[in-house]
Amino acid sequence: MRILALETSAKAVSAAVTEDGALLASAFQCSGLTHSRTLMPIVEHILKNTDLKLSDMDAIAVAVGPGSFTGVRIGVATVKGLALGTDRPCVGVSTLEAMAWGARSLGGSLCCVMDARAGQVYNALFEVDGLTPRRLCDDRALKMTELSEIGEAPYFLVGDGANLCYNTIKDSCTGLRLAPPELRYATGFGVAAAALPLIREGRTCTPQELDAFYLRRPQAERERMKRLAENK
């Protein structure tokens, strides 16, 4: 079971190729360059160096959100195009769940957080059972201070919002620990790991069915709706 997996939900961009859960190749870049500039060269590079083609993949997976609206759109649109051109099935996975799969070797409880701006985070909680992350809640958007509800339970903070959350609520959540930097961010490998059980269960989709998952409306739309409400 070969999977090409892409992750573009935040500042970093990543891609990986796995076979039956084993990593064949991966690349990760967090240089500040736009994903539209970096993603396809990364994909082409890892395919070339594994001597594989898109047609050799059993499925193409992507993190569909939550995350940056632009970043998520780039990842989803890229996978749609790649899958349409090669008649491959698609798999969309939660960015937060991809983080949990990438950090599962930490064991215990994982608090996955992405900076959603305006004092909010995208969050989901997981418990690692063996090497399988088990969800404790749905993906959600909430204020950082609301995370204090997890209390003093020991959690590893994973995600690009980990440092921000730790510095904001560490006094009220004394059990929080920062995951090591190399395990903190969503990666193509995490996406592939999260997608593998879905593929085995037959839970793939066509490129036309693949869609982004946003927990909040884009900022421009929120501002437009606010203006409309004020003018009523």
Short mmCIF file of all heavy atoms in Angstrom, two decimals, residues 4 6 8 13-15 29 34-48 54 74-75 77-79 81-82:
data_model
loop_
_atom_site.label_atom_id
_atom_site.label_comp_id
_atom_site.label_asym_id
_atom_site.label_seq_id
_atom_site.Cartn_x
_atom_site.Cartn_y
_atom_site.Cartn_z
N LEU A 4 1.18 8.67 -1.31
CA LEU A 4 1.82 9.98 -1.39
C LEU A 4 0.98 10.91 -0.53
O LEU A 4 -0.24 11.00 -0.71
CB LEU A 4 1.85 10.49 -2.83
CG LEU A 4 2.27 11.96 -3.01
CD1 LEU A 4 3.73 12.17 -2.58
CD2 LEU A 4 2.07 12.42 -4.45
N LEU A 6 0.59 14.84 1.42
CA LEU A 6 0.99 16.25 1.42
C LEU A 6 0.45 16.95 2.65
O LEU A 6 -0.67 16.66 3.10
CB LEU A 6 0.48 16.96 0.17
CG LEU A 6 0.71 16.29 -1.20
CD1 LEU A 6 0.24 17.20 -2.31
CD2 LEU A 6 2.16 15.92 -1.39
N THR A 8 0.16 21.02 4.01
CA THR A 8 0.41 22.44 3.70
C THR A 8 -0.43 23.36 4.58
O THR A 8 -0.68 24.50 4.22
CB THR A 8 0.06 22.74 2.23
OG1 THR A 8 -1.33 22.43 2.00
CG2 THR A 8 0.91 21.91 1.28
N VAL A 13 5.79 23.24 4.84
CA VAL A 13 5.23 22.38 3.80
C VAL A 13 5.98 21.06 3.87
O VAL A 13 7.18 21.02 4.14
CB VAL A 13 5.37 23.03 2.40
CG1 VAL A 13 6.84 23.27 2.07
CG2 VAL A 13 4.73 22.17 1.33
N SER A 14 5.25 19.96 3.66
CA SER A 14 5.87 18.65 3.79
C SER A 14 5.20 17.66 2.86
O SER A 14 4.02 17.79 2.52
CB SER A 14 5.75 18.15 5.25
OG SER A 14 6.29 16.86 5.40
N ALA A 15 5.98 16.66 2.42
CA ALA A 15 5.44 15.58 1.60
C ALA A 15 6.17 14.30 1.98
O ALA A 15 7.31 14.33 2.45
CB ALA A 15 5.60 15.88 0.11
N GLN A 29 9.96 21.55 4.70
CA GLN A 29 10.56 22.87 4.50
C GLN A 29 9.76 23.92 5.23
O GLN A 29 8.53 23.98 5.12
CB GLN A 29 10.63 23.19 3.00
CG GLN A 29 11.37 24.49 2.70
CD GLN A 29 11.65 24.65 1.21
OE1 GLN A 29 11.79 23.67 0.48
NE2 GLN A 29 11.73 25.90 0.76
N THR A 34 6.29 30.57 -0.22
CA THR A 34 4.90 30.15 -0.40
C THR A 34 4.83 28.69 -0.83
O THR A 34 5.69 28.18 -1.54
CB THR A 34 4.20 31.01 -1.46
OG1 THR A 34 4.86 30.85 -2.71
CG2 THR A 34 4.21 32.48 -1.06
N HIS A 35 3.76 28.03 -0.38
CA HIS A 35 3.58 26.62 -0.71
C HIS A 35 3.41 26.42 -2.22
O HIS A 35 3.80 25.38 -2.76
CB HIS A 35 2.36 26.05 0.01
CG HIS A 35 2.48 26.10 1.50
ND1 HIS A 35 3.69 26.19 2.15
CD2 HIS A 35 1.54 26.06 2.49
CE1 HIS A 35 3.49 26.21 3.46
NE2 HIS A 35 2.20 26.14 3.68
N SER A 36 2.83 27.40 -2.89
CA SER A 36 2.65 27.28 -4.34
C SER A 36 4.00 27.22 -5.05
O SER A 36 4.10 26.70 -6.16
CB SER A 36 1.83 28.45 -4.87
OG SER A 36 2.45 29.69 -4.56
N ARG A 37 5.03 27.73 -4.41
CA ARG A 37 6.37 27.70 -4.99
C ARG A 37 7.15 26.44 -4.59
O ARG A 37 7.95 25.93 -5.37
CB ARG A 37 7.14 28.94 -4.53
CG ARG A 37 8.58 29.01 -5.00
CD ARG A 37 9.22 30.31 -4.58
NE ARG A 37 10.65 30.32 -4.85
CZ ARG A 37 11.47 31.33 -4.55
NH1 ARG A 37 10.97 32.43 -3.98
NH2 ARG A 37 12.75 31.26 -4.82
N THR A 38 6.92 25.92 -3.40
CA THR A 38 7.76 24.85 -2.87
C THR A 38 7.17 23.45 -2.97
O THR A 38 7.91 22.46 -3.03
CB THR A 38 8.09 25.11 -1.39
OG1 THR A 38 6.85 25.24 -0.65
CG2 THR A 38 8.90 26.39 -1.23
N LEU A 39 5.83 23.32 -3.00
CA LEU A 39 5.21 22.01 -2.86
C LEU A 39 5.55 21.06 -4.01
O LEU A 39 6.02 19.93 -3.79
CB LEU A 39 3.69 22.15 -2.72
CG LEU A 39 2.91 20.84 -2.58
CD1 LEU A 39 3.39 20.04 -1.37
CD2 LEU A 39 1.41 21.13 -2.49
N MET A 40 5.29 21.48 -5.25
CA MET A 40 5.50 20.55 -6.37
C MET A 40 6.96 20.17 -6.57
O MET A 40 7.25 19.00 -6.85
CB MET A 40 4.91 21.14 -7.65
CG MET A 40 3.39 20.99 -7.73
SD MET A 40 2.82 19.30 -7.39
CE MET A 40 3.64 18.39 -8.70
N PRO A 41 7.94 21.08 -6.41
CA PRO A 41 9.33 20.63 -6.48
C PRO A 41 9.66 19.57 -5.43
O PRO A 41 10.44 18.64 -5.71
CB PRO A 41 10.13 21.92 -6.25
CG PRO A 41 9.24 23.00 -6.76
CD PRO A 41 7.85 22.57 -6.39
N ILE A 42 9.07 19.69 -4.23
CA ILE A 42 9.30 18.68 -3.19
C ILE A 42 8.71 17.34 -3.62
O ILE A 42 9.35 16.29 -3.48
CB ILE A 42 8.68 19.15 -1.85
CG1 ILE A 42 9.56 20.24 -1.23
CG2 ILE A 42 8.52 17.98 -0.89
CD1 ILE A 42 8.98 20.84 0.03
N VAL A 43 7.48 17.35 -4.14
CA VAL A 43 6.84 16.11 -4.59
C VAL A 43 7.66 15.47 -5.70
O VAL A 43 7.92 14.25 -5.69
CB VAL A 43 5.40 16.40 -5.07
CG1 VAL A 43 4.80 15.17 -5.75
CG2 VAL A 43 4.53 16.83 -3.90
N GLU A 44 8.06 16.26 -6.68
CA GLU A 44 8.85 15.73 -7.80
C GLU A 44 10.17 15.15 -7.31
O GLU A 44 10.62 14.10 -7.80
CB GLU A 44 9.09 16.84 -8.82
CG GLU A 44 7.81 17.28 -9.54
CD GLU A 44 7.98 18.58 -10.30
OE1 GLU A 44 9.11 19.16 -10.24
OE2 GLU A 44 7.01 19.03 -10.93
N HIS A 45 10.78 15.79 -6.34
CA HIS A 45 12.07 15.34 -5.82
C HIS A 45 11.95 13.98 -5.14
O HIS A 45 12.76 13.08 -5.41
CB HIS A 45 12.61 16.37 -4.83
CG HIS A 45 13.86 15.96 -4.12
ND1 HIS A 45 15.09 15.95 -4.71
CD2 HIS A 45 14.04 15.53 -2.84
CE1 HIS A 45 16.00 15.54 -3.85
NE2 HIS A 45 15.39 15.27 -2.70
N ILE A 46 10.97 13.80 -4.25
CA ILE A 46 10.90 12.53 -3.53
C ILE A 46 10.44 11.39 -4.43
O ILE A 46 10.86 10.25 -4.25
CB ILE A 46 10.01 12.64 -2.26
CG1 ILE A 46 8.56 12.97 -2.61
CG2 ILE A 46 10.58 13.64 -1.28
CD1 ILE A 46 7.65 12.94 -1.38
N LEU A 47 9.61 11.70 -5.43
CA LEU A 47 9.22 10.64 -6.36
C LEU A 47 10.41 10.22 -7.22
O LEU A 47 10.65 9.03 -7.45
CB LEU A 47 8.06 11.12 -7.25
CG LEU A 47 6.69 11.23 -6.57
CD1 LEU A 47 5.68 11.82 -7.56
CD2 LEU A 47 6.21 9.88 -6.06
N LYS A 48 11.17 11.20 -7.68
CA LYS A 48 12.33 10.88 -8.52
C LYS A 48 13.35 10.05 -7.76
O LYS A 48 13.90 9.06 -8.29
CB LYS A 48 12.97 12.18 -9.01
CG LYS A 48 14.21 11.95 -9.88
CD LYS A 48 14.80 13.28 -10.34
CE LYS A 48 16.04 13.05 -11.20
NZ LYS A 48 16.62 14.35 -11.66
N LEU A 54 3.49 8.75 -9.89
CA LEU A 54 2.17 8.91 -9.27
C LEU A 54 1.30 7.69 -9.52
O LEU A 54 0.51 7.29 -8.65
CB LEU A 54 1.49 10.17 -9.81
CG LEU A 54 2.03 11.51 -9.31
CD1 LEU A 54 1.40 12.65 -10.09
CD2 LEU A 54 1.74 11.66 -7.82
N ILE A 74 -4.22 25.21 -1.16
CA ILE A 74 -3.14 24.80 -2.05
C ILE A 74 -2.96 23.28 -1.99
O ILE A 74 -2.83 22.61 -3.03
CB ILE A 74 -1.83 25.51 -1.69
CG1 ILE A 74 -1.92 27.00 -2.07
CG2 ILE A 74 -0.63 24.86 -2.38
CD1 ILE A 74 -0.75 27.84 -1.58
N GLY A 75 -2.94 22.72 -0.79
CA GLY A 75 -2.77 21.27 -0.65
C GLY A 75 -3.89 20.49 -1.28
O GLY A 75 -3.66 19.52 -2.02
N ALA A 77 -6.11 21.50 -3.57
CA ALA A 77 -6.15 21.68 -5.03
C ALA A 77 -5.06 20.88 -5.72
O ALA A 77 -5.29 20.30 -6.80
CB ALA A 77 -6.01 23.17 -5.36
N THR A 78 -3.89 20.82 -5.11
CA THR A 78 -2.79 20.05 -5.70
C THR A 78 -3.13 18.57 -5.77
O THR A 78 -2.92 17.91 -6.80
CB THR A 78 -1.49 20.25 -4.89
OG1 THR A 78 -1.14 21.64 -4.90
CG2 THR A 78 -0.35 19.44 -5.49
N VAL A 79 -3.67 18.03 -4.68
CA VAL A 79 -4.04 16.61 -4.67
C VAL A 79 -5.16 16.33 -5.67
O VAL A 79 -5.15 15.30 -6.36
CB VAL A 79 -4.43 16.16 -3.24
CG1 VAL A 79 -5.08 14.78 -3.26
CG2 VAL A 79 -3.20 16.15 -2.35
N GLY A 81 -5.64 17.81 -8.48
CA GLY A 81 -5.03 17.78 -9.81
C GLY A 81 -4.21 16.52 -10.03
O GLY A 81 -4.30 15.90 -11.10
N LEU A 82 -3.41 16.14 -9.05
CA LEU A 82 -2.58 14.94 -9.19
C LEU A 82 -3.44 13.70 -9.33
O LEU A 82 -3.15 12.81 -10.14
CB LEU A 82 -1.66 14.80 -7.98
CG LEU A 82 -0.59 15.87 -7.78
CD1 LEU A 82 0.17 15.63 -6.49
CD2 LEU A 82 0.37 15.91 -8.96
#
